[in-house]
Structures are given as structure tokens and as C-alpha cells.
């Protein structure tokens, strides 16, 4: 079976009176000639609208491995740039068979309509058939080929009819509807005399007709006189306006059919350079004073139907969570009659786009993209490792490219301001051109918010990791500082033992050394060995404590636990630990027990165990049942405050500043001073919280912990 060809289409916009006709004609021609169509909608180059410039990036998605030929709607793309700039823009498509509609491109087949003869026939009709002589002309963009040719045709007819050229009758436009509105307003307010107005395209002419229907400022206009207004293009709404617009019809149907036919029949990698000129046809309607009966052209009549009435896309995709976004998007696509939709984001992360990149041959879109949402043939599809990551210019994974039927894919960029994070591809089955841009815009905004939240979570996790490492570093520093003393002592003991061993070795065979001397040397060795055992026990205790707590501090897992779960664990601790059980521990809770804290509950219990036992030991010689300890859990705005309070001996001023920095203890040989150092590292590193204390000697101490609510 012969492989069905896939053609690319570069078009500035689908939603426009002129572009919509082109798009629909090309879409129907592709259907008639049985080929696929991949549409890249990237707006008019260098148009002075910031968002339009951001759409240009889609013109860099062309890949000859995916498409067999390229149709460029050159006239519309190049409305606001010079011929040289457009040639520079087209260089990136070298080696791909190209059909250009509207502008002659080297190494391509260019389909051109006769602008001059079309405009001449229009102006000649006004002068010959209606007797108009004072004709206003509104030009298109400066430097635009179509605009220049149409203006030259106007001047040549004036010269042919011996009508003097009047600069005051010339208004400079840009092919945009709003500009026609403003030009008409200027003409009304100036109260200038004229017979007719010719606009260089239909969009501006339709804008002028809209201004005439707006009564504001009309007191300066003779309402008894019906202004004569004409356009050029015979666009979508020209025949449906009131009055119906006199214009010049471009043979778009014939041109579109020819464009697709030439690429379908092309068997080489390039099209031979050729220029094919199509004639333009004058269309006489009411706006020039001619009689006219509206035709029933189904292309014009049915295209503007919005298939899903009163459906607010922006209201139905409101979320900044990625999973929720795609869950909401699925029913929206069904309700908008979208057959397939694929959302991809750049693997390497967002890029920042500048309009000059559209003219830079070296600029490439990010090489790889990740498929993050797939909706195919009316239902959401699974994404697996085989179709998740693709080359960006492939647009969609091969598994979603239909082989048994035609398809029309529309590719649009996803961006927020100039930050581009991916693209979306829709499968188009109907003529509703409005839906896709609404969907694209809302997906962009929602996805931007979702990606911002993910980035914030990543940054927060990075900060937690930084704090964890910093607290772990402080822990190690504090431990190493305190271990230096026993290590140096062990070194001293070793040197002393070595001296005693040498002394004993030298005494062997020496008759002057008595038994008492030998016993004395042995006693000295015994004392030094006792010191070694003491230092070794201290270091073993430190290492054992660190192993139990620092390993947890170094863990990466983050869980959630509620206040209720924390209270139950504290109660279990109170009943299972003999020291705490015999003490007088009271628990006070002033917080919603369903409140959640992010972190490992075991880490928190270890910290509280340290603080409670320190509080009990602060009473020194008292019996355990006399050791009163109060534990408070309170909510303060978005934080949970935990306080462990005792009424013991308090902390002396000379060690307060060193409590969380070094292994400081008030327990003498019974303590290592490690628990507070570990508690500090855990609260800072694992919970992103704070820990501090207040203490007065002989009046007690309160340790406070503040951790954020999840």
C-alpha cells in the first residue's frame, strides 16, 4: 500500500477572515487528495504584539523526517517584515519541498495572485461604472509586497483616468481590523469630502464598516450619505457584512488545491523553482452601490458555528495541580469535540524565547520533550517508557501517529510571557477554529502554575536538604570537637604506657630493681589502663547515640503525621520507658488533633525523649516521682509549638551559648551532652523548624520547638 504523505502548513492564524478560508480550503483539499496535514500556527512575523511574537517558536518545529513537504502562507506570515527578512526566515527549511502562497521564494514553487490587475479592476469599476473620482486609499504595512502592489495599482488607474493624485487622500494602515476602525473614525472627524474609500484588504474595510455602525461621533457625518467602502481578498465575512463588501476575490480554492496537488505528486526532495500566477476577480456587492444577493457559500456560512455553545473553557480548567489539570482537561476535550490532544514539556526545562530566534538559523528548539498527557480517539491514554520521551520535532510519539486513516494535527506552543515550557498538539476534525486557542491559553496558564508549584516544592526540598546537611555538619563538628579531648587523652595514655613498658624492659636482669619496684610499675600500668577503659566507654556511648539518631537525620524520606498520632506516641513513650513512667509527666494539648506535620514521627519522638529525660535529670538528687515535667502542644498561626518545661536546677550562664553547638552536659560522667546537639540537628534539618530554650538557675528550664504545619 502506498504510504500516505504528511504535509506541513505554516500559517499565521486560523482565526481570521482571510486565514480561516485558506485553512479550511487546505484542510478540505488534504482530505480530498488523501494526505495528512500538520499545521504550525505561529502568527505574523514581527507583528508589534508581544504574545504574537512568542508564537513564532512553532515555526522551528519543522522536521523533514516527519513531513514530506511544506506549504507556507507567505503573504500572511510576512505582513510586517521586508522581503529580505522573509528570505532569511525561510533559510531554515532548505532541503524540504516548499510551496509558497503569496510571495516568491527561491528554490520553491510560488503561487501568486495578480494583485495589480485585481486592484486596477476595482478602482476602474469605481471610476467608470460609478463616476467616483475622489477616492481615499488606505494602504497595508510599509514594505509589504501585496500592500505595495495594490497601492501602485491605485495610482496607475488614477493616472490612466487623468485624476490627480492627492496625498491627503492616503491613509497608512497595516491590514488589521482595528486600524480600519480608526481610519474611518479619523475620516469622520475630519469631515473631509470623498466619493469612495478603498482599503488594501478586507479586514480594514470591515473595521471601517463597524465604525460606521457605532453612533459615537456620528454627528459630524452626513448620515444621509451612504459611504462607499471597498476591500481586497473576499475574505470570510466580506459577503456577510452589512452592506455586503465589494472586494477582489483571490482564487484561493484553486491555489490551495494546486499547492497540495504539487506536493502530493512531488517525488524529489525539492520543488523546482517556479512561479505560477493566478488571476484576481472583482466581486461587486452593495458597499460600492451595486445590487447584490447573498450567496449560499457553505464554507462562509457554516464555519463560524461554535460547536459547543456556552461552554466556558477557562472556568472548567482552573487548577494549579498537574494531576488535577489533566483530570479536568479530559471532559473538556470531550465536550469540545476534540478527537485527540497531546501535551508535552521540554525535558531540559523551560527556555526563554526572543522573536529574533525566528530568523536565526542556528536556533533549535529543545532537543527532547516528555509526553505528560495523552488523549487519543476520545479517551485518555496511558503513557509508558516507550512513548514518554521523544525528539521534540517529532511532535507526537510514533505510537500516536495513525497509520490506517488520515489525520490533521495542529501544533501550538505553551508559554507564559517569554518562558516556554512545551507545546500542545490537537487533532482537528471539524471547522471550529475558536476552540483550540482557548484551550491552548488555558492549558498554558494552568500548566505554568502547576510547574511553579512543583519548582517551589523542589526548591523547598533543596532548602531542607541544605539545612539537613548544614545541621549534620554542625552535628559532626560538635561531636568531633568533644571527642578531641578523649582522643588526645588516649594518645597521652599510650605514650605513658610506652614509657612504662620501656622502663620495665630495661629493669629485666637489673639486680638493683626490687620486687617493690616491679609492683609499682604494674600499678602505674593498671591506672593508665583504667583511664583507657573510661575514655573508650565514653566514646562508645557517643558513637552508639550518634548511630541511633544521626542515621535518621541522614534519611531522605519525608512522611506526615498528625497531632493525634504524636500524642498517642508520647503516651506510649510515657508508659513504656521506666524512667519517664516513674516521673511526674503531664501533657497539655491545645491544637486540632487532625493538624498535620511533615516529617518522620520517630525523629520527633526521639527529640522529645531526649528533652523529657534531660528535664527529669535536671532535678539531680530528687526522687523520680518528684520530677515534674510539663509537655505542651499548641498551634500558633501556621506553626505547631511544642514545649518541654521543668522546675529543676536550670542551666548555668557559662554554658548557655554552647548548648546547641557542642556536646555540653551538666551530668558529669553520666552524660555526653550529645542529645541536645542531635535534637537541634533533627529539628532544623528534618523538620525545617526551630528549637530554643529559656532557663534560670534554680528555677527550671523550658525547651521550645516550632515546626511548620504541612
Amino acid at each position: 500500500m502506498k504510504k500516505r504523505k504528511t504535509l506541513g502548513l505554516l500559517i499565521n492564524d486560523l482565526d481570521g477572515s482571510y486565514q480561516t478560508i485558506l485553512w479550511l480550503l487546505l484542510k478540505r483539499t488534504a482530505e480530498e487528495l488523501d494526505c495528512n496535514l500538520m499545521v504550525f500556527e505561529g502568527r505574523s512575523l514581527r507583528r508589534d504584539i508581544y504574545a504574537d511574537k512568542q508564537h513564532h517558536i512553532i515555526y522551528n518545529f519543522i522536521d523533514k523526517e516527519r513531513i514530506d513537504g511544506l506549504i507556507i502562507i507567505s503573504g500572511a506570515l510576512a505582513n510586517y517584515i521586508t522581503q529580505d527578512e522573509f528570505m532569511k526566515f525561510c533559510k531554515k527549511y532548505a532541503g524540504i519541498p516548499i510551496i509558497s502562497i503569496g510571495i516568491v521564494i527561491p528554490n520553491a514553487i510560488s503561487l501568486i495572485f495578480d494583485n495589480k490587475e485585481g486592484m486596477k479592476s476595482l478602482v476602474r469599476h469605481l471610476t467608470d461604472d460609478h463616476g467616483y473620482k475622489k477616492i481615499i486609499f488606505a494602504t497595508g504595512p510599509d514594505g509589504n509586497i501585496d500592500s505595495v502592489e495594490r497601492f501602485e495599482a491605485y495610482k496607475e488607474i488614477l493616472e490612466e483616468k487623468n485624476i490627480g493624485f492627492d496625498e491627503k487622500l492616503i491613509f497608512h494602515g497595516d491590514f488589521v481590523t482595528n486600524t480600519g476602525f480608526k481610519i474611518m473614525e479619523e475620516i469622520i472627524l475630519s469631515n473631509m469630502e470623498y466619493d469612495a474609500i478603498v482599503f488594501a484588504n478586507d479586514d480594514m474595510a470591515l473595521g471601517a464598516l463597524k465604525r460606521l455602525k457605532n453612533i459615537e461621533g456620528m454627528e459630524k457625518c452626513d448620515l444621509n450619505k451612504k459611504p462607499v467602502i471597498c476591500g481586497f481578498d473576499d475574505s470570510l465575512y466580506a459577503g456577510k457584512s452589512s452592506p455586503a463588501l465589494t472586494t477582489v476575490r483571490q482564487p484561493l480554492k484553486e491555489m490551495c488545491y494546486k499547492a497540495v496537488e504539487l506536493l502530493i505528486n512531488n517525488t524529489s526532495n525539492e520543488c523546482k523553482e517556479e512561479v505560477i500566477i493566478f488571476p484576481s476577480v472583482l466581486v461587486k456587492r452593495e458597499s460600492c452601490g451595486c445590487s447584490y444577493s447573498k450567496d449560499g457559500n457553505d464554507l462562509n456560512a457554516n464555519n463560524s458555528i461554535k460547536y459547543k455553545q456556552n461552554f466556558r473553557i477557562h472556568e472548567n480548567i482552573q487548577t494549579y495541580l498537574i494531576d488535577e489539570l489533566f483530570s479536568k482537561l479530559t471532559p473538556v476535550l470531550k465536550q469540545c469535540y476534540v478527537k485527540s490532544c497531546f501535551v508535552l514539556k521540554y525535558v531540559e526545562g523551560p527556555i526563554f524565547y526572543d522573536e529574533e530566534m525566528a530568523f536565526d538559523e542556528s536556533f533549535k528548539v529543545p532537543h527532547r520533550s516528555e509526553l505528560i498527557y495523552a488523549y487519543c480517539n476520545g479517551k485518555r491514554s496511558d503513557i509508558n517508557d516507550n512513548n514518554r520521551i521523544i525528539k521534540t520535532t517529532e511532535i507526537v510519539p510514533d505510537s500516536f501517529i495513525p497509520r490506517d486513516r488520515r489525520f490533521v494535527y495542529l501544533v501550538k506552543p505553551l508559554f507564559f510571557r517569554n518562558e516556554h515550557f512545551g507545546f500542545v498538539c490537537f487533532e482537528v476534525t471539524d471547522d471550529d477554529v475558536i476552540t483550540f486557542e482557548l484551550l491552548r491559553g488555558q492549558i498554558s496558564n494552568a500548566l505554568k502554575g502547576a510547574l511553579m508549584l512543583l519548582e517551589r516544592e523542589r526548591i523547598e526540598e533543596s532548602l531542607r536538604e541544605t539545612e539537613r546537611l548544614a545541621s549534620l555538619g554542625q552535628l559532626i563538628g560538635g561531636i568531633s570537637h568533644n571527642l578531641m579531648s578523649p582522643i588526645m587523652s588516649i594518645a597521652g595514655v599510650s605514650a605513658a604506657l610506652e614509657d612504662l613498658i620501656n622502663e620495665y624492659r630495661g629493669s629485666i636482669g637489673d639486680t638493683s630493681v626490687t620486687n617493690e619496684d616491679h609492683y609499682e610499675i604494674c600499678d602505674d600500668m593498671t591506672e593508665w589502663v583504667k583511664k583507657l577503659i573510661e575514655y573508650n566507654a565514653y566514646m562508645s556511648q557517643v558513637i552508639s547515640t550518634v548511630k541511633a539518631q544521626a542515621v535518621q537525620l541522614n534519611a531522605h524520606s519525608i512522611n506526615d503525621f498528625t497531632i493525634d498520632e504524636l500524642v498517642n506516641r508520647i503516651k506510649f513513650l510515657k508508659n513504656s520507658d521506666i524512667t519517664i513512667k516513674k516521673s511526674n509527666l503531664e501533657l497539655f494539648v491545645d491544637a486540632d488533633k487532625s493538624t498535620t506535620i511533615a516529617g518522620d514521627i520517630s525523629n520527633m519522638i526521639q527529640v522529645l525523649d531526649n528533652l523529657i529525660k534531660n528535664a527529669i535529670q535536671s532535678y539531680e538528687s530528687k526522687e523520680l516521682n518528684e520530677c515534674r515535667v510539663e509537655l505542651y502542644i499548641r498551634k500558633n498561626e501556621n506553626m505547631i509549638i511544642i514545649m518541654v518545661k521543668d522546675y529543676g536546677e536550670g542551666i548555668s550562664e557559662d554554658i548557655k551559648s554552647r548548648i546547641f553547638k557542642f556536646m555540653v552536659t551538666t551530668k558529669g560522667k553520666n552524660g555526653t551532652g550529645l542529645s541536645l546537639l542531635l535534637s537541634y540537628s533533627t529539628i532544623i534539618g528534618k523538620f525545617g523548624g526551630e528549637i530554643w530554650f529559656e532557663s534560670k538557675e534554680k528555677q527550671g528550664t523550658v525547651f521550645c520547638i516550632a515546626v511548620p504545619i504541612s
Side-chain angles (χ1 to χ4, degrees):
M1 185 175 68
K2 185 179 179 181
K3 178 187 174 185
R4 183 181 288 109
K5 286 198 173 185
T6 299
L7 306 184
L9 170 62
L10 267 56
I11 190 168
N12 65 326
D13 210 328
L14 300 190
D15 186 14
S17 56
Y18 173 72
Q19 298 92 329
T20 299
I21 292 181
L22 269 172
W23 144 246
L24 293 174
L25 286 170
L26 285 165
K27 176 170 163 287
R28 294 183 185 185
T29 304
E31 181 179 355
E32 182 181 343
L33 297 181
D34 191 32
C35 66
N36 302 317
L37 198 59
M38 197 164 278
V39 186
F40 302 87
E41 183 187 12
R43 307 289 171 87
S44 294
L45 296 166
R46 289 201 198 283
R47 186 179 178 191
D48 194 20
I49 295 178
Y50 184 81
D52 279 16
K53 295 173 183 177
Q54 295 307 311
H55 284 265
H56 298 349
I57 191 174
I58 215 67
Y59 294 138
N60 287 86
F61 279 61
I62 308 302
D63 190 336
K64 58 185 178 183
E65 294 179 8
R66 185 61 90 192
I67 64 169
D68 300 295
L70 189 61
I71 299 172
I72 305 178
I73 310 301
S74 304
L77 262 65
N79 265 344
Y80 307 100
I81 61 175
T82 65
Q83 178 84 354
D84 289 343
E85 286 180 305
F86 189 61
M87 294 306 107
K88 182 179 179 182
F89 167 81
C90 292
K91 284 184 178 180
K92 63 172 71 70
Y93 308 123
I96 302 175
I98 293 176
I99 303 292
S100 171
I101 296 180
I103 292 179
V104 176
I105 295 179
N107 303 315
I109 296 178
S110 303
L111 309 183
I112 309 298
F113 41 81
D114 197 333
N115 271 291
K116 266 198 169 184
E117 287 305 316
M119 182 57 78
K120 282 182 178 181
S121 65
L122 172 59
V123 180
R124 193 178 285 120
H125 168 65
L126 295 176
T127 59
D128 293 355
D129 299 337
H130 293 287
Y132 301 142
K133 292 186 178 181
K134 202 163 190 175
I135 302 172
I136 292 175
F137 190 88
T139 70
D142 292 339
N144 179 271
I145 294 175
D146 291 342
S147 173
V148 170
E149 288 185 347
R150 294 169 195 180
F151 186 37
E152 287 177 351
Y154 161 79
K155 290 189 289 185
E156 288 176 15
I157 293 299
L158 293 185
E159 185 178 356
E160 178 187 306
K161 302 301 178 182
N162 294 317
I163 300 173
F165 176 77
D166 186 352
E167 187 68 44
K168 294 178 182 178
L169 298 178
I170 307 304
F171 290 81
H172 297 282
D174 57 5
F175 288 164
V176 178
T177 304
N178 190 51
T179 303
F181 186 98
K182 291 178 180 178
I183 288 174
M184 191 71 245
E185 183 172 67
E186 187 178 344
I187 293 171
I188 293 171
L189 296 176
S190 68
N191 205 22
M192 66 189 302
E193 294 184 6
Y194 65 92
D195 296 323
I197 308 173
V198 174
F199 286 88
N201 80 332
D202 284 351
D203 282 353
M204 291 193 296
L206 292 168
L209 289 176
K210 185 176 180 65
R211 180 61 185 90
L212 289 171
K213 294 181 182 300
N214 189 326
I215 62 171
E216 183 182 352
M218 293 296 285
E219 64 275 2
K220 294 188 178 183
C221 182
D222 183 1
L223 298 179
N224 295 318
K225 178 183 177 181
K226 292 184 178 179
V228 175
I229 293 177
C230 303
F232 193 106
D233 287 334
D234 194 24
S235 59
L236 182 63
Y237 304 110
K240 296 194 291 185
S241 65
S242 180
L245 188 66
T246 295
T247 183
V248 176
R249 175 176 296 159
Q250 300 178 19
L252 298 181
K253 185 174 183 180
E254 295 85 349
M255 295 175 79
C256 290
Y257 189 92
K258 190 69 173 178
V260 176
E261 182 184 43
L262 287 169
L263 288 177
I264 290 295
N265 294 331
N266 180 62
T267 56
S268 64
N269 290 330
E270 292 188 11
C271 286
K272 294 181 180 178
E273 187 170 330
E274 183 181 358
V275 177
I276 303 174
I277 300 176
F278 292 79
S280 300
V281 179
L282 174 64
V283 180
K284 302 173 186 178
R285 295 194 182 109
E286 298 169 308
S287 69
C288 70
C290 292
S291 60
Y292 169 73
S293 60
K294 296 182 184 293
D295 57 42
N297 186 325
D298 70 317
L299 182 65
N300 287 358
N302 297 330
N303 173 68
S304 60
I305 294 174
K306 189 176 181 182
Y307 290 95
K308 180 63 184 175
Q309 296 291 338
N310 300 322
F311 185 71
R312 278 79 176 181
I313 288 173
H314 65 285
E315 293 176 3
N316 288 276
I317 315 179
Q318 288 188 336
T319 180
Y320 287 144
L321 300 175
I322 284 186
D323 289 342
E324 187 177 353
L325 165 62
F326 295 141
S327 294
K328 290 186 172 187
L329 181 58
T330 298
V332 167
L333 294 171
K334 288 180 182 291
Q335 290 172 297
C336 291
Y337 305 103
V338 176
K339 186 167 187 176
S340 300
C341 173
F342 309 98
V343 179
L344 297 98
K345 71 180 183 73
Y346 302 135
V347 171
E348 291 83 2
I351 66 168
F352 293 87
Y353 186 77
D354 181 86
E355 65 171 311
E356 293 303 320
M357 294 175 179
F359 303 90
D360 184 355
E361 286 185 75
S362 65
F363 171 73
K364 305 292 182 185
V365 293
H367 180 64
R368 296 184 305 152
S369 290
E370 178 186 359
L371 181 65
I372 56 176
Y373 175 77
Y375 173 85
C376 189
N377 295 322
K379 62 181 181 180
R380 188 167 180 180
S381 301
D382 292 333
I383 299 172
N384 53 53
D385 291 339
N386 293 327
N387 61 18
R388 185 181 303 277
I389 306 297
I390 66 167
K391 180 182 175 184
T392 297
T393 52
E394 290 178 354
I395 308 302
V396 295
D398 284 336
S399 57
F400 293 112
I401 296 290
R403 306 296 177 189
D404 56 345
R405 61 175 176 83
R406 291 180 58 259
F407 66 84
V408 178
Y409 280 166
L410 170 62
V411 190
K412 285 172 164 282
L414 296 174
F415 61 90
F416 187 85
R417 295 182 179 166
N418 70 328
E419 181 185 356
H420 289 248
F421 32 85
F423 59 98
V424 60
C425 177
F426 299 103
E427 183 171 7
V428 182
T429 55
D430 58 46
D431 294 341
D432 184 0
V433 299
I434 300 172
T435 300
F436 299 110
E437 180 54 25
L438 294 175
L439 283 168
R440 184 212 65 79
Q442 195 59 26
I443 292 171
S444 273
N445 292 338
L447 190 57
K448 168 61 179 176
L451 292 175
M452 282 180 65
L453 286 181
L454 286 177
E455 178 65 9
R456 190 181 77 173
E457 290 175 8
R458 188 194 66 77
I459 292 173
E460 288 176 349
E461 176 60 27
S462 177
L463 289 173
R464 283 194 294 267
E465 178 69 3
T466 301
E467 290 174 343
R468 184 188 67 79
L469 292 174
S471 58
L472 188 60
Q474 182 168 331
L475 170 64
I476 293 170
I479 293 171
S480 60
H481 178 273
N482 280 72
L483 288 181
M484 284 303 295
S485 294
I487 289 172
M488 293 300 293
S489 298
I490 289 172
V493 170
S494 298
L497 283 172
E498 187 176 1
D499 289 342
L500 288 171
I501 290 170
N502 290 333
E503 181 181 352
Y504 187 78
R505 181 178 289 114
S507 69
I508 296 173
D510 187 344
T511 55
S512 64
V513 178
T514 65
N515 288 336
E516 286 75 11
D517 292 331
H518 287 294
Y519 285 121
E520 184 178 345
I521 293 173
C522 287
D523 290 341
D524 288 343
M525 286 184 176
T526 301
E527 289 300 318
W528 285 117
V529 169
K530 286 180 180 179
K531 290 183 182 296
L532 279 177
I533 294 172
E534 180 184 324
Y535 296 146
N536 182 67
Y538 174 82
M539 293 179 68
S540 296
Q541 185 180 357
V542 169
I543 292 169
S544 176
T545 307
V546 170
K547 185 176 180 181
Q549 298 189 41
V551 169
Q552 288 187 351
L553 180 63
N554 199 35
H556 290 272
S557 61
I558 294 181
N559 304 307
D560 289 343
F561 61 90
T562 63
I563 298 297
D564 189 48
E565 291 172 320
L566 180 62
V567 168
N568 289 333
R569 288 289 294 272
I570 292 170
K571 289 178 179 178
F572 177 80
L573 179 68
K574 180 179 180 181
N575 293 326
S576 60
D577 188 290
I578 188 66
T579 301
I580 297 176
K581 186 176 183 178
K582 289 184 177 181
S583 70
N584 184 11
L585 173 65
E586 291 191 70
L587 176 63
F588 305 91
V589 181
D590 184 17
D592 184 347
K593 290 190 176 182
S594 64
T595 303
T596 303
I597 298 171
D600 191 324
I601 193 171
S602 297
N603 287 338
M604 182 61 75
I605 289 297
Q606 183 65 64
V607 170
L608 295 180
D609 180 63
N610 290 339
L611 296 180
I612 292 169
K613 287 179 177 175
N614 281 348
I616 293 170
Q617 292 168 354
S618 72
Y619 288 93
E620 296 184 349
S621 59
K622 287 187 177 182
E623 296 294 324
L624 284 176
N625 62 355
E626 298 180 88
C627 299
R628 177 177 172 80
V629 179
E630 298 168 359
L631 196 158
Y632 298 87
I633 301 176
R634 297 171 179 167
K635 181 178 180 294
N636 182 15
E637 295 181 349
N638 62 340
M639 304 291 284
I640 291 296
I641 309 298
I642 303 172
M643 295 184 292
V644 178
K645 185 176 183 179
D646 67 65
Y647 300 89
E649 293 298 312
I651 300 173
S652 62
E653 291 295 328
D654 61 322
I655 64 171
K656 281 184 178 181
S657 62
R658 296 183 289 138
I659 285 290
F660 295 130
K661 296 180 180 179
F662 305 106
M663 292 162 60
V664 177
T665 181
T666 58
K667 306 170 192 173
K669 293 182 179 180
N670 296 323
T672 62
L674 185 58
S675 64
L676 288 179
L677 187 60
L678 284 168
S679 297
Y680 174 85
S681 299
T682 301
I683 296 301
I684 299 296
K686 297 296 290 182
F687 292 92
E690 297 179 54
I691 182 170
W692 68 96
F693 68 91
E694 296 174 4
S695 181
K696 291 184 179 180
E697 290 190 61
K698 306 299 181 181
Q699 295 184 34
T701 302
V702 56
F703 276 88
C704 302
I705 296 169
V707 291
I709 293 171
S710 176

